[in-house]
Amino acid sequence: MALAYGVVSGLGVIAGLYGAVAVGLFASLFWGTKALISGPTGPMAVAMAVVVGTYAENITEAFTIVIMAGVIQILLGLIKTGRYVAYTPYSVISGFTSGVGVIIVLLQVLPFLGASSPGGGTVGAIRAIPDAVGSINYHALGIALLTLVVTVVWPTKLARALPPTLAALIAGTLLGVLWLKDAPRIGTVPTGFPEVIDTHSVLEHAVGSFQPALVLALLASINTLLMSLIADSLTRGTHNPNRELMGQGVGNIFSGLFGGMPGAGNIPATVVNARIGGRTPVSGVLCALVLMSLVLGLGEYVGEIPHAVLAGILMKVGWDIIDWRFITRIHRVQREHLVVMVITLGFTVSADLLSAIMLGLIVAALVSARQLEYLELDSVISAPLLDISFLADEEEEEDDDPDLDSMLGDDDDDEDEFDPFSARCGLVSFRGSFTVASSNRMFSTISVDIRDHEVVILDFSQTDYMDDSAAFVVERLVDVAIEEDTECIVMGLGGAVGASFQKLDILRSVPKDRYVEDIDEAKVIAKRILGI
């Protein structure tokens, strides 16, 4: 897999192996996630291919970007940003992973047919497909088909002893070496320990490489921490996201120094590791050391592997990366979540991976805000308080046969008498939590009700949380009440909500004697205001 991803990245097959050794070793030594196996991944290979084609004028500049990405990852770990990745919605993850799978499949169509890649990423590959179809290298096509078939039909019983990708690599290479010899091959691959790149050149390119390095760092961090969550679900463990980011950063720094591609948490290797009992970082360290031994002694044989073999393997990998679990349930998925997934997938394929994730997160946040709006508005109770039930004396309420005529009275100007069917007081009760999601609708709805009363009771006795946006809505409601000559009574304000209101000075327009603890105290204040 490292060989194949090295080709996709544009850095070469050996860069994939170096990246697998460096990132896998140092990420495991930091053991942020005990069962996680790190190394080259599909998203990182695709992202690096874009970076190489867009930003790197020479190979040293490309590796400088990898090193800077590692530095940024370490900083992200030090400022403890790792825990925020857990809030990524599944629709964004699904769209991103499916988009990466589609990209890998599209990029392998040309080597599958025996043609060389023209560059230009996904768009360039699509444009070159018609020419490749017109001049198919049938030797390469035969090798690729055999490799793909082996990865698909390899028996499950044999997979533990010999993984299907390794079996396909052996079968396809033997076919290319012994019979179908006209397929393009990888060519000469360096062996032995890699040389450290010129550090002076790294320092020269460091400032200019910050932007693409930030893209790689964020993508690698998101990729890794999502894989950490999956590893936790498989092993029932817990990971340290910030330590994991620092370990990945150190690994990417060494990978770039020794000419390797950037890496992240590798889901196929992690799943295999977890299923066969890997529960400590030792498995990741051993994996890296085994790969290192292959690098030191197998390089001369790697050059004989046809490109079509790697294309066949990556075709199956790309197909498996696509989130078919989500896609097969599209007809059951909520429309809003489907829109988020489609937007993320579309931008992943047509634009760049980081922009796709950022846009997906923004759209997902808007969708969640809309859903929260309905839930929060349902938690606001705005009700009129009839005079006959709220303002009547207790003796009158307990009277089995109240004389309504006497309550109505003969003098309409008498303030001590009131219409039992009027509602001079209203109750606005905020129950639960309130955020920016419901702020505008909450103001437009409640402000209309406030105008209908002479006294309004703002009840916060069951309010759990209010963010700043919701708090300022309460201030605006009080302002509306003042403009309409409606008196406000504040009930049950305390705790964190009361402290927040006090810091923001939200209720400065409400007199201190209008603060009450319960509805009985509110009734007394309301009667005094109304002159009853």
Side-chain angles (χ1 to χ4, degrees), residues 251-271:
N252 280 322
I253 289 175
F254 277 91
S255 181
L257 283 173
F258 290 104
M261 67 170 288
N266 188 305
I267 185 58
T270 300
V271 171

Side-chain angles (χ1 to χ4, degrees), residues 324-339 371:
W324 297 109
R325 180 172 57 178
F326 187 96
I327 293 174
T328 54
R329 302 177 187 177
I330 278 182
H331 59 290
R332 300 178 181 176
V333 176
Q334 294 183 22
R335 182 179 59 185
E336 294 86 355
H337 296 166
L338 178 59
V339 169
Q371 295 172 338

Side-chain angles (χ1 to χ4, degrees), residues 36-99:
L36 187 69
I37 303 296
S38 300
T41 67
M44 295 308 298
V46 172
M48 194 63 204
V50 175
V51 168
V52 170
T54 307
Y55 297 98
E57 297 181 358
N58 57 65
I59 197 67
T60 302
E61 190 172 356
F63 292 130
T64 301
I65 293 172
V66 176
I67 295 170
M68 287 296 297
V71 173
I72 294 173
Q73 280 187 284
I74 293 176
L75 294 176
L76 292 175
L78 291 174
I79 62 177
K80 301 185 184 302
T81 59
R83 59 192 179 94
Y84 295 108
V85 174
Y87 301 132
T88 306
Y90 184 79
S91 53
V92 176
I93 298 173
S94 176
F96 172 71
T97 55
S98 296

Side-chain angles (χ1 to χ4, degrees), residues 358-369:
M358 295 301 141
L359 182 62
L361 289 174
I362 292 172
V363 176
L366 295 175
V367 169
S368 298

